[in-house]
Amino acid sequence: LLHFEDDTPEAEGLARAAGLTPTLVTRDRSAEGELRFQLPHALPERVVVYRSLHRPDEKLIDLLLLARTASRLGAARLVLVTPCLAGRRADAEEGEGARIVGAFLAGLFDGVVTVDPHLYGAADFADAVPARHAIVVSAVPLLAELAAARRPRPLLLAMDGAGMPWVQRAAARHGFDHANCVRAADGEVGPPAELDLNGRSVVTVGE
């Protein structure tokens, strides 16, 4: 499992759970500002790359260089694990950025695994990222169990409409009350005015 320094805790946790060998990819810059990687001299046939894509722009270049180099070093099957799949909002047209970045990742990796992605108008994740294996793992069950363990009969509150499907599914596991925030005329986002929060434990859910 190849990973970068800023992803080390999560990558090492995944490696332990999956029985993989974590290997740090060192990364620096030349005097001209160009990215440089230090990889093992040889790689096994199957390689997993862990890279979270929050603040994604430069990380997409990381993945391009890493995937192409790993293939030259012996990796025949590359799988990307990216729990946060951002980097798809620079849309000249709604959803176009998602399709461009999805196709880019599918061209580098045989498989892409992510957590509860926004699909930006795509029919499903395989449509958004047309890799040979496009896999979504849901954190909703964990979210529901965490809320149940930490708060007595909580109210789950979605911060926006995009998060509402997750909130509905999490609430359904334990019969929790749930609602969606609304945007007031002044631009402020908050719970609906008719919602009585007095004495309630509230768990807000956003991206």
Side-chain angles (χ1 to χ4, degrees):
L1 185 148
L2 300 177
H3 66 92
F4 293 85
E5 185 174 9
D6 55 332
D7 286 324
T8 294
E10 296 83 4
E12 289 185 343
L14 174 62
R16 284 192 300 271
L20 302 173
T21 302
T23 301
L24 177 65
V25 177
T26 58
R27 178 181 184 273
D28 63 8
R29 291 183 182 275
S30 68
E32 294 77 24
E34 297 173 346
L35 290 172
R36 298 186 298 193
F37 296 143
Q38 183 76 36
L39 287 168
H41 295 301
L43 291 170
E45 181 179 341
R46 294 184 298 172
V47 171
V48 175
V49 176
Y50 185 101
R51 193 65 167 142
S52 184
L53 286 176
H54 61 287
R55 300 185 181 277
D57 294 352
E58 192 169 275
K59 294 178 181 180
L60 293 172
I61 303 300
D62 287 346
L63 293 178
L64 171 63
L65 298 175
L66 178 58
R68 295 298 187 228
T69 304
S71 295
R72 294 194 190 100
L73 294 173
R77 183 180 180 190
L78 285 168
V79 174
L80 172 65
V81 176
T82 176
C84 178
L85 185 53
R88 306 182 295 151
R89 294 193 180 194
D91 295 356
E93 167 187 342
E94 182 66 26
E96 189 60 27
R99 287 186 284 272
I100 292 169
V101 175
F104 171 77
L105 295 175
L108 296 175
F109 296 94
D110 301 287
V112 178
V113 183
T114 192
V115 179
D116 291 319
H118 284 300
L119 295 178
Y120 296 100
D124 54 30
F125 187 54
D127 182 45
V129 182
R132 186 179 307 170
H133 304 284
I135 299 170
V136 171
V137 178
S138 180
V140 167
L142 295 176
L143 171 66
E145 297 309 317
L146 181 64
R150 300 287 183 87
R151 295 290 183 266
R153 300 296 300 170
L155 167 70
L156 304 189
L157 190 62
M159 297 303 295
D160 54 34
M164 193 58 177
W166 301 333
V167 165
Q168 290 171 328
R169 287 160 50 207
R173 288 180 67 88
H174 292 279
F176 294 153
D177 294 334
H178 63 280
N180 192 19
C181 285
V182 296
R183 187 178 297 277
D186 61 3
E188 290 294 318
V189 175
E194 67 275 11
L195 191 62
D196 183 9
L197 300 181
N198 187 38
R200 298 297 305 268
S201 293
V202 178
V203 176
T204 57
V205 181
E207 291 183 66

